[in-house]
Amino acid sequence: MIGLELSQIPSPLRILAIGCHADDIEIGCGGTILRLIATHPSVEVCWVVLSAHGERADEVHASAEAFLHGSQRQQILVGDFRDGFLPYSGGDVKQFFEDLKPVIAPDLILTHYGDDRHQDHRLASELTWNTFRDHFILEYEVPKYDGDLGAPNVFVHLDDGLAKRKVENLLTYFQTQRDRRWFTEDLFLSILRLRGMESNAPDRYAEAFYGRKVVL
């Protein structure tokens, strides 16, 4: 297996991270963001959450600030679209994406998996590709009751410290989710361990993505 390092991208490394709900980015690619900030000399992140209100919006800001600690520049944008209804507000969501164009010229975009079974996630992925047509886009996965885990083809290895820091942050900053049966340490570590096994990660853990287009 050949490894390619994102750290080879010239500084600053500009990342656009897109999530529909308050904890999506952290679950899907939080470890990758932690690793890039730790290993790249200069990282700028635009952190976008489409649907978060009240206490959930507060969680977005607190969590994002923790995950982005050490980044050169950060911008946190929170939309107020209704959870679960994004496809039915398609025009407004599309305009929200269009308004991102002048905000950042990203080197890397992290967004939802296109075949995710959550309707909000699918729309976000579709609009990401529709809006940013000539960019490096990786689609992350979010484990859920629907059972839509697939066979990703891009992996980011995490050491033990980064993997545990990701999970600790999730459990610390999303108190509104702690009563959900799936929002547990063992689930988050299990998916990291599974993807680490699949990619022969030296420290056992990895996050996984779908890369539709990669130019070498």
Side-chain angles (χ1 to χ4, degrees):
M1 187 176 295
I2 297 176
L4 303 176
E5 287 294 334
L6 286 175
S7 59
Q8 297 172 359
I9 296 175
S11 294
L13 169 59
R14 299 183 178 92
I15 301 172
L16 172 59
I18 299 171
C20 287
H21 312 109
D23 48 16
D24 287 341
I25 296 172
E26 293 88 340
I27 293 172
C29 58
T32 297
I33 291 173
L34 289 174
R35 177 177 166 182
L36 289 173
I37 292 173
T39 58
H40 199 277
S42 178
V43 176
E44 300 179 359
V45 182
C46 181
W47 185 287
V48 177
V49 175
L50 300 175
S51 176
H53 308 84
E55 190 174 0
R56 290 287 273 162
D58 294 338
E59 289 178 334
V60 168
H61 286 278
S63 176
E65 289 171 6
F67 273 88
L68 298 179
H69 178 73
S71 61
Q72 186 73 21
R73 181 174 179 271
Q74 55 185 258
Q75 185 173 14
I76 303 169
L77 304 177
V78 182
D80 60 357
F81 297 103
R82 185 178 175 187
D83 182 359
F85 285 74
L86 264 64
Y88 309 102
S89 304
D92 291 335
V93 181
K94 167 64 173 172
Q95 186 60 56
F96 187 97
F97 272 81
E98 290 295 320
D99 292 342
L100 290 175
K101 288 181 178 179
V103 172
I104 186 172
D107 302 300
L108 168 65
I109 301 175
L110 303 170
T111 193
H112 285 282
Y113 174 40
D115 289 330
D116 194 299
R117 290 187 180 176
H118 193 297
Q119 64 276 10
D120 290 353
H121 296 183
R122 290 196 303 272
L123 179 66
S125 182
E126 177 183 344
L127 290 177
T128 301
W129 285 95
N130 181 259
T131 307
F132 299 96
R133 302 182 64 84
D134 190 28
H135 294 74
F136 181 29
I137 299 174
L138 294 178
E139 302 175 357
Y140 60 77
E141 57 185 353
V142 177
K144 63 180 71 66
Y145 180 78
D146 307 83
D148 57 5
L149 292 179
N153 56 3
V154 179
F155 300 86
V156 176
H157 291 167
L158 305 177
D159 62 29
D160 186 76
L162 287 177
K164 290 180 178 177
R165 182 179 166 196
K166 164 185 169 165
V167 175
E168 288 171 359
N169 282 355
L170 277 164
L171 299 178
T172 297
Y173 293 104
F174 293 103
Q175 292 296 317
T176 61
Q177 306 303 293
R178 292 299 300 272
D179 62 345
R180 295 179 180 269
R181 295 173 65 182
W182 61 271
F183 202 92
T184 59
E185 178 182 19
D186 60 345
L187 183 142
F188 296 131
L189 287 175
S190 293
I191 189 67
L192 294 177
R193 181 68 186 97
L194 173 65
R195 298 316 190 191
M197 178 275 296
E198 291 177 339
S199 60
N200 198 28
D203 290 305
R204 306 193 308 150
Y205 297 113
E207 287 183 335
F209 301 86
Y210 297 83
R212 295 195 206 177
K213 293 183 181 181
V214 178
V215 178
L216 302 178

